[in-house]
Amino acid sequence: MIATFDEAPPHQLLHGVPWETYEFLLEALEGRHLRITYNEGDLEIMTLGHEHEFWSTFLGSFISILTVELNIAIHSGGSTTFRRALKKKGLEPDECYWIQNERLMRGKKTFDIDCDPPPDLAVEIDITQSSLNRMGIYAALEVPEIWVFDGTSLRVFLLGTTGKYKESLTSLAFPWLPITEVQRFLQDSETTDETTLLRAFSKWVRETIVPQVASSKSKRNGKKSAK
């Protein structure tokens, strides 16, 4: 299968695949333009098209702008493979970031699931829907927040105490961020070039979000001083 994979369909779903085979495929297919998802014996291999990669990179650029303009420390993980042998689950997010736990990952070049925290935020581009329950895998890996974008709508899901995701109107990593505004900028890419949109988004963050965050911090510090 590996030798002739370039001739295979863009979406393959296999059943009854041992964990050892999944790990072998991860190594054998490393560097190829593929997304490999494993869930308790079910193995899905998908090629990633231009539209998928465009949205992943574009939304990732917005997150980078947010952290730069607001001086938020961040550690980027891209599409790092996360897998947990005991739960027989594994996947690669489209983008992922350590934000609340950035300090614990600072300077690290490898990820150890046994001692490192899961990413605080993962981005899931849902253009070609997976046949497997990727949200269930994220939950098993204890990723606290997922942004899901289907090419039209951007939705935020937070991991609850029950171990399941619930849709939220606000982000855990960026609680002051109006998600609908981010969605609007994403949708404007249909008629406006990326550079213009990224500059506009950066300007919007500086003029709208930065003052709000500064005001909120000032109020909190004022309350602490009053005490």
Side-chain angles (χ1 to χ4, degrees):
M1 180 178 70
I2 299 172
T4 60
F5 192 82
D6 288 339
E7 302 173 3
H11 183 188
Q12 289 193 5
L13 180 61
L14 308 173
H15 303 286
V17 178
W19 178 262
E20 294 75 15
T21 301
Y22 164 59
E23 291 195 314
F24 170 76
L25 287 173
L26 285 176
E27 182 176 349
L29 298 175
E30 185 177 4
R32 299 203 184 191
H33 205 54
L34 302 169
R35 185 167 75 177
I36 304 174
T37 306
Y38 186 87
N39 189 24
E40 299 180 1
D42 292 333
L43 177 74
E44 180 182 65
I45 304 176
M46 298 178 65
T47 57
L48 303 178
H50 172 74
E51 182 181 10
H52 182 282
E53 294 297 83
F54 167 79
W55 288 124
S56 177
T57 303
F58 196 39
L59 183 51
S61 296
F62 282 6
I63 292 172
S64 295
I65 287 173
L66 279 170
T67 57
V68 168
E69 294 291 350
L70 289 155
N71 195 28
I72 296 174
I74 189 171
H75 182 89
S76 301
S79 56
T80 297
T81 298
F82 298 98
R83 58 188 186 271
R84 189 173 289 281
L86 290 178
K87 296 185 177 182
K88 296 183 178 180
K89 297 179 185 293
L91 51 61
E92 299 95 12
D94 293 306
E95 303 286 345
C96 69
Y97 308 89
W98 286 266
I99 304 171
Q100 295 95 313
N101 285 308
E102 178 276 335
R103 190 66 187 86
L104 296 176
M105 291 297 294
R106 188 178 301 177
K108 292 194 175 185
K109 302 300 186 289
T110 59
F111 174 81
D112 186 343
I113 200 165
D114 292 323
C115 61
D116 293 328
D120 297 301
L121 171 63
V123 172
E124 184 81 358
I125 304 300
D126 197 23
I127 300 299
T128 303
Q129 292 187 351
S130 172
S131 299
L132 301 182
N133 180 11
R134 285 176 61 86
M135 295 296 280
I137 300 174
Y138 278 120
L141 297 171
E142 300 180 350
V143 178
E145 180 173 359
I146 313 291
W147 287 11
V148 179
F149 185 66
D150 63 4
T152 302
S153 300
L154 177 63
R155 304 167 69 191
V156 173
F157 292 88
L158 304 182
L159 187 63
T161 55
T162 61
K164 295 182 180 181
Y165 287 101
K166 292 185 178 181
E167 188 168 0
S168 173
L169 296 176
T170 57
S171 166
L172 187 63
F174 307 106
W176 24 258
L177 180 68
I179 298 300
T180 53
E181 285 299 300
V182 180
Q183 178 177 296
R184 178 178 65 81
F185 278 101
L186 290 169
Q187 291 173 340
D188 285 347
S189 66
E190 298 290 333
T191 57
T192 308
D193 68 272
E194 288 180 55
T195 302
T196 299
L197 278 178
L198 292 177
R199 287 171 62 88
F201 183 73
S202 182
K203 182 174 183 290
W204 174 74
V205 172
R206 284 196 306 271
E207 295 180 352
T208 305
I209 302 301
V210 171
Q212 290 179 4
V213 174
S215 176
S216 177
K217 288 182 178 179
S218 178
K219 290 179 180 178
R220 288 200 302 269
N221 291 336
K223 290 181 179 179
K224 289 180 181 179
S225 300
K227 291 180 180 179

